[in-house]
Amino acid sequence: MELTIPADPAWPEAERRLLSDSLRQFQLGEGSDGCNLLRFARTFAARVGDADLPEAVAGLIAEEQRHSRWLGQVLRAHGEPLLGRHWVDGAFRRLRRTMGFGFEVAVLVSAEVVAVPYYTAVGRVTSLPSLRAICERVLQDEAFHLQFQAHNLSLVVRDRFGLRHALHRGLQMAIGAVVWQQHGRVLAAGGYTFASFCQECDRLLLEVQRRSYASRLQCRYDSASAS
Ligand SMILES: [Fe+2]
Ligand SMILES: [Fe+2]
């Protein structure tokens, strides 16, 4: 669903210096065309017989691109040029491409997880009505994305390419450390310390893993009662 972005006053200089580079990185990251993810999802869906998966993944990609478009609209309105590339975004894309749908889902879950404290922090810090509205809406969307990714995780963990949970927590910590290194000033201004940011990420990841486990149990129960 589209969002009506409210008009802004001028961006206070100190806030612009704090937020603009960081938001430009997120704008770039949210705007991925998702080609590889969709290709992996199609192959994976064919293997496990989940005909609805590619369409659902396409819906997720479209929603992330909307987040990117909204951020781009605000940045451009305040005279901030958008990024064409960034090494963190490039590294994330290369990492996701390496090992198929299972690994891509694991990296995406971690990206969705860090987005929650990030947009919470931006929403707390900003004085711009546009950014507040975007953060509020993105956080609602991300809650659904985490549920959807829990379902995907349940599929890939059942599948032989699924990442083990402990390994996923390690990956989450590594991604969290890069995000703190790049966006720690914004997160700190929004009330996080590195420790509380990591705790929040860990809590969200465990929640996704719990949901994914519940979904696997349900699936086993359904197939047992059908046989
Ligand atoms: Fe997003
Ligand atoms: Fe998301």
Side-chain angles (χ1 to χ4, degrees), residues 30 63-64 67 112 119 138 142 145:
E30 300 259 31
E63 211 152 76
E64 299 295 10
H67 298 168
E112 309 269 21
Y119 285 105
V138 167
E142 297 306 345
H145 294 181

Side-chain angles (χ1 to χ4, degrees), residues 44-152:
F44 181 82
R47 200 169 68 227
V48 299
D50 186 338
D52 299 330
L53 184 66
E55 199 186 330
V57 167
L60 173 82
I61 294 166
E63 211 152 76
E64 299 295 10
Q65 288 172 341
R66 263 202 300 274
H67 298 168
S68 172
R69 215 170 46 242
W70 296 336
L71 288 176
Q73 201 176 316
V74 169
L75 287 165
R76 272 197 305 269
H78 288 279
E80 293 290 334
L82 304 187
L83 291 179
R85 65 171 71 166
H86 190 278
W87 73 265
V88 173
D89 183 62
F92 265 105
R93 285 176 201 232
R94 275 194 297 280
L95 188 64
R96 280 170 15 209
R97 252 186 253 138
T98 49
M99 288 162 76
F101 187 64
F103 192 69
E104 177 124 22
V105 167
V107 176
L108 282 178
V109 166
S110 296
E112 309 269 21
V113 159
V114 295
V116 174
Y118 179 76
Y119 285 105
T120 302
V122 173
R124 284 176 187 159
V125 162
T126 189
S127 63
L128 297 184
S130 64
L131 280 181
R132 277 206 215 115
I134 290 172
C135 289
E136 193 180 319
R137 177 56 188 283
V138 167
L139 285 169
Q140 288 167 10
D141 289 348
E142 297 306 345
F144 285 110
H145 294 181
L146 285 170
Q147 281 179 30
F148 175 59
Q149 300 290 17
H151 171 72
N152 289 338

Side-chain angles (χ1 to χ4, degrees), residues 14-34:
E15 188 186 315
R16 179 196 293 267
R17 277 199 303 276
L18 175 69
L19 293 180
S20 61
D21 284 350
S22 168
L23 286 171
R24 287 159 75 209
Q25 268 194 57
F26 265 77
Q27 190 276 330
L28 179 67
E30 300 259 31
S32 165
D33 63 13

Side-chain angles (χ1 to χ4, degrees), residues 154-168:
S154 76
L155 294 176
V156 298
V157 169
R158 204 164 48 223
D159 185 78
R160 67 200 159 96
F161 290 107
L163 205 69
R164 309 307 305 162
H165 286 184
L167 210 58
H168 197 172

